[in-house]
Amino acid sequence: VSLPNYTQLCVGKPKILIAPGSSLTRWVSVSVRGLRGLSLFSSSESSSNWSKVVSDAEKIVGYPTSFMSLRCLLSDELSNVAMHVRKLVGTQHPLLNTARGFVYDSKNNLQMRGLIVLLLSKAAGPSHAASELLTKDMVSGIYPSQRNLAEITELIHTAFLVHRGIVNLKEWTVSDGPLKDMEFGNKMAVLSGDFLLANACTGLAELNDTKVVELISSAIADLVQGIYYENYYNVEDGLGDGLGDGVDTTPWEDQAFLSHGALLAKSCQAAMQLAKHDREAQRLAYLYGKHLSLGHKLNSDLQPFVKSRLGAMTSFSLSAAPVVFHRQIVGKEKWHQQLQEAKTLRNQLDYSKLLAAVKSEKGVSLAVDLCRYHSNRALEAIQAFPSSEARSALENIASAVNKF
């Protein structure tokens, strides 16, 4: 990253100066180098389409959301944390990849949640119940409190990304690098994630709206519960195995909503609450966030299956939607057999064999249909809002989830 003598960044009203040679400047420079795949969509075509949709949407809300949480990230407290994170450079601890995502976002658009909150806020506009004095504070059709909510949403999401990067030391092997590096990295992941979450909670209290606090607090609880379920279910047993021909997608949807959808859905609802919109507007905003999140997750899960060629080296999660649905179709016994056949002599999975097995059944096509269903439901929810540039951008984002 090439930084001038002093880089001035505007986030909301305050201006933040990054001094050359400061610990955070060095951390930004180090963190960007060697960036590995953080992209939401693996194919260049899908990634390009998604990036254009998001870039157009950012122009509507007034500024890029890539640096939405910089006020927190450039604070003195996190600068001290960054000095310690630099010690992880050269190790394989996943905290480094997460740190890179803080400052590098031009192609990957990781901070989608804040952008959706801002677009919905602009699309809905001021409510009839809002006072004239409150309306005067709007910038680009968005209340300051709604912009603060968008930042809070991103901080919470980032905090959980950091916490999820903690390495399970019970599964540590020599190939992962020195044990002391992993232990130190885990301590920094806990500290950094807690710091971000604490800042988010402080900002949440400053919104002075008890219903918004209740909504976002429940979203944090949902995130914790969703991550717990992900770790609780054994990948060989999975969700609802052995259902034969009938595939029940509800268990996967419920779990995916907790870990990937609740934060966005409830943040969208909270944005309507801050503008004093009625319950129906809040319900529709919630539905848009919910269905967009689930469609987005399905699209991400589907990438290895719709773009990869048979025999190609492709890894994927065994909790991905196509795999979960495939397990239900073939049943528990056959799934265990396929897992054993895909294991190498070193007891590691040969993902190309497992990929072929999953593609041979209807799990992939079922996931594609479900992705289109949630994309269409998101489009339906947004139609009740007035026609505007912001609504068109939200429609484009929901449609982009459908592209493979």
Side-chain angles (χ1 to χ4, degrees), residues 162-369:
V162 172
H163 280 158
R164 292 181 77 162
I166 295 173
V167 175
N168 185 354
L169 297 180
K170 291 182 179 179
E171 299 177 0
W172 172 83
T173 61
V174 177
S175 61
D176 294 327
L179 180 59
K180 64 177 183 178
D181 289 342
M182 295 297 111
E183 290 175 335
F184 178 75
N186 280 358
K187 291 178 182 178
M188 295 311 303
V190 171
L191 175 63
S192 305
D194 286 353
F195 174 80
L196 294 172
L197 197 56
N199 273 266
C201 292
T202 301
L204 190 60
E206 291 173 351
L207 293 177
N208 292 319
D209 191 307
T210 53
K211 185 175 179 181
V212 170
V213 172
E214 182 182 348
L215 279 169
I216 304 303
S217 298
S218 65
I220 294 174
D222 290 339
L223 273 167
V224 173
Q225 187 177 357
I227 294 170
Y228 169 77
Y229 283 153
E230 284 183 3
N231 295 328
Y232 176 77
Y233 288 109
N234 186 286
V235 292
E236 295 190 7
D237 296 332
L239 292 165
D241 273 322
L243 296 180
D245 294 332
V247 177
D248 183 10
T249 63
T250 304
W252 180 89
E253 288 177 291
D254 289 345
Q255 180 179 310
F257 174 74
L258 289 173
S259 57
H260 292 85
L263 180 60
L264 178 58
K266 293 183 178 181
S267 293
C268 290
Q269 182 180 350
M272 298 299 100
Q273 167 65 20
L274 287 171
K276 309 301 180 186
H277 284 286
D278 58 24
R279 290 184 178 180
E280 180 61 14
Q282 292 184 35
R283 184 185 71 86
L284 291 171
Y286 174 91
L287 288 175
Y288 179 84
K290 172 185 175 180
H291 290 295
L292 181 70
S293 297
L294 290 175
H296 192 276
K297 179 69 169 69
L298 283 158
N299 190 304
S300 180
D301 283 0
L302 277 162
Q303 289 306 308
F305 301 93
V306 297
K307 293 298 180 183
S308 62
R309 299 183 302 275
L310 288 178
M313 291 297 293
T314 304
S315 62
F316 51 87
S317 170
L318 296 184
S319 61
V323 181
V324 172
F325 301 155
H326 172 76
R327 290 201 300 253
Q328 293 192 31
I329 293 169
V330 302
K332 187 174 181 177
E333 186 176 339
K334 187 173 181 181
W335 167 245
H336 283 182
Q337 180 184 343
Q338 290 176 341
L339 274 179
Q340 292 302 318
E341 291 173 352
K343 286 183 178 178
T344 64
L345 294 176
R346 295 183 177 181
N347 206 34
Q348 295 177 335
L349 279 178
D350 183 344
Y351 282 96
S352 60
K353 288 184 179 179
L354 207 55
L355 184 77
V358 174
K359 279 187 168 183
S360 67
E361 296 289 346
K362 297 181 179 179
V364 173
S365 61
L366 199 155
V368 169
D369 291 342

Side-chain angles (χ1 to χ4, degrees), residues 90-230:
T91 72
Q92 300 179 45
H93 199 282
L95 177 59
L96 277 180
N97 274 344
T98 308
R100 291 172 187 132
F102 291 159
V103 294
Y104 180 87
D105 207 65
S106 60
K107 294 182 180 179
N108 301 309
N109 304 302
L110 295 178
Q111 295 189 321
M112 175 194 74
R113 289 156 188 81
L115 176 61
I116 300 299
V117 170
L118 294 175
L119 284 172
L120 262 172
S121 300
K122 189 175 178 69
S127 70
H128 298 299
S131 66
E132 187 178 337
L133 181 63
L134 189 63
T135 306
K136 289 180 180 178
D137 293 332
M138 297 180 79
V139 179
S140 298
I142 302 170
Y143 292 111
S145 60
Q146 291 173 321
R147 289 190 183 272
N148 291 338
L149 174 65
E151 294 179 9
I152 290 165
T153 301
E154 284 303 338
L155 282 177
I156 293 170
H157 174 63
T158 303
F160 274 86
L161 281 181
V162 172
H163 280 158
R164 292 181 77 162
I166 295 173
V167 175
N168 185 354
L169 297 180
K170 291 182 179 179
E171 299 177 0
W172 172 83
T173 61
V174 177
S175 61
D176 294 327
L179 180 59
K180 64 177 183 178
D181 289 342
M182 295 297 111
E183 290 175 335
F184 178 75
N186 280 358
K187 291 178 182 178
M188 295 311 303
V190 171
L191 175 63
S192 305
D194 286 353
F195 174 80
L196 294 172
L197 197 56
N199 273 266
C201 292
T202 301
L204 190 60
E206 291 173 351
L207 293 177
N208 292 319
D209 191 307
T210 53
K211 185 175 179 181
V212 170
V213 172
E214 182 182 348
L215 279 169
I216 304 303
S217 298
S218 65
I220 294 174
D222 290 339
L223 273 167
V224 173
Q225 187 177 357
I227 294 170
Y228 169 77
Y229 283 153
E230 284 183 3

